[in-house]
Amino acid sequence: MIHHTATSVVTIERFIIEQERQHPQATGQLSGILYDMALAAKMIASKVRSAGLVDILGATDDHNVQGEVQQKLDVFANETIIKAMDHGGRLCAMASEEEPDIIPIPDRFRCGKYCLLFDPLDGSSNIDVNVPVGTIFSIVKKVTKSKHGELADLLQPGRRQVAAGYVLYGSSTMLVYTTGQGAHGFTLDPSIGEFLLSHANIRTPDEGRYLSVNDAYEQHWDDSVRQLMRRYRGLEGGRRSLSVRYVGSLVADFHRNLLGGGVFCYPAHAKSPRGKLRLLYEANPLAFIVEQAGGAAIDGRKRILDIQPEELHQRTPLYIGSKADVDLASRTLAGLKTAVGA
Ligand code: FDP
């Protein structure tokens, strides 16, 4: 663990270099990917900030692979990340929530040993109403021998991630990432255009304050999910009730709960048997971060990071956040009759 004095200003670049130095065998490729992500984040942040001022609001005619209408800003964020990342010689393949297939590295560029998976602009249905949105990313190491990455390189369980992070475009822009040495947060200082260390070694409270769930789906939930929500609300089991907060932008809901303590739930339900969120672009990276911060993430039964993905756009139910609250989900959904607070 690197200690900085209260007065030292630590840029994300300095922090990444200092973390890299703790691994003498490091080639600098991973650090390079993280700088490039920080650059892409600054470009997207600048566009998001001016979204209300320019004629960029509203949907394009395109639909993404999930059949959702793409907002123009999604398209911009997607292209910005691809362009920032494809030429550095560190990646061998990419995958985006907005693209149906693997994104290859163009032949004119060198290929490296890492793969990047990302959700360029999460919470995009919130763009038009000035509600925070985010970018989420995950990095894994190539496992096949091919020069260009293959599907098998991208379809790795989350526990094999070497780094993951998210950017929250909120009242300030924050980037939080982990390389498995804790989760660290940086706030963009727009006056100098740098991400500065603001939240070193984030620890999420063991017990949460907040419950984030869209309970408009209650009619479609099964009985165990309904029971879990009653327990979170203190209506059953004698547990202290959680306060409900639901922005509807995963990054914003996750970030608030990470810092303040809480649980975000997107259960499977009758109309959406695998839930809504994407394992590779959303659940895995956030699960890596939350575990590094002392929290937990499950799909209702299994640890998210242990799920073997079968397809790029696989969906998963998600229960993520403070350890005690996720443990309660695990016990309740398994139908265990143990005491709620136990
Ligand atoms: P969005 O559809 O606006 O992109 O992953 C997609 C996501 O937002 C998450 O950010 C958010 O948590 C969730 O969907 C909201 O879904 P519901 O509207 O079904 O609650």
Side-chain angles (χ1 to χ4, degrees), residues 122-125 214 217 246 248-250 264 266 276-277 282:
D122 184 69
S124 48
S125 54
N214 185 347
Y217 301 115
Y246 192 70
S249 256
L250 176 60
F264 175 96
Y266 206 111
K276 176 184 186 189
L277 304 175
E282 296 174 309

Side-chain angles (χ1 to χ4, degrees), residues 251-318:
V251 174
D253 282 312
F254 174 82
H255 182 72
R256 180 199 51 245
N257 294 354
L258 182 74
L259 299 187
V263 60
F264 175 96
C265 309
Y266 206 111
H269 60 70
K271 294 207 157 168
S272 183
R274 297 192 84 166
K276 176 184 186 189
L277 304 175
R278 286 71 171 178
L279 176 63
L280 294 175
Y281 315 113
E282 296 174 309
N284 270 346
L286 298 185
F288 190 14
I289 290 170
V290 87
E291 285 199 4
Q292 286 292 312
I298 59 169
D299 70 352
R301 288 178 303 132
K302 240 181 139 168
R303 180 180 175 230
I304 289 288
L305 297 182
D306 286 336
I307 299 173
Q308 173 62 53
E310 282 150 22
E311 51 180 347
L312 276 182
H313 296 284
Q314 185 167 329
R315 296 176 191 264
T316 179
L318 181 64

Side-chain angles (χ1 to χ4, degrees), residues 205-222:
D206 274 348
E207 288 203 24
R209 281 195 281 163
Y210 304 119
L211 165 63
S212 306
V213 69
N214 185 347
D215 56 15
Y217 301 115
E218 183 168 357
Q219 54 186 317
H220 306 301
W221 290 338
D222 70 23

Side-chain angles (χ1 to χ4, degrees), residues 18 24 61 73 96 99 101 103 130 140 156 162 217 245 299 307 339:
E18 288 179 353
D61 291 338
L73 216 46
S96 160
E99 306 268 350
D101 302 313
I103 306 165
N130 208 358
V140 291
Q156 299 191 52
V162 293
Y217 301 115
R245 298 279 190 284
D299 70 352
I307 299 173

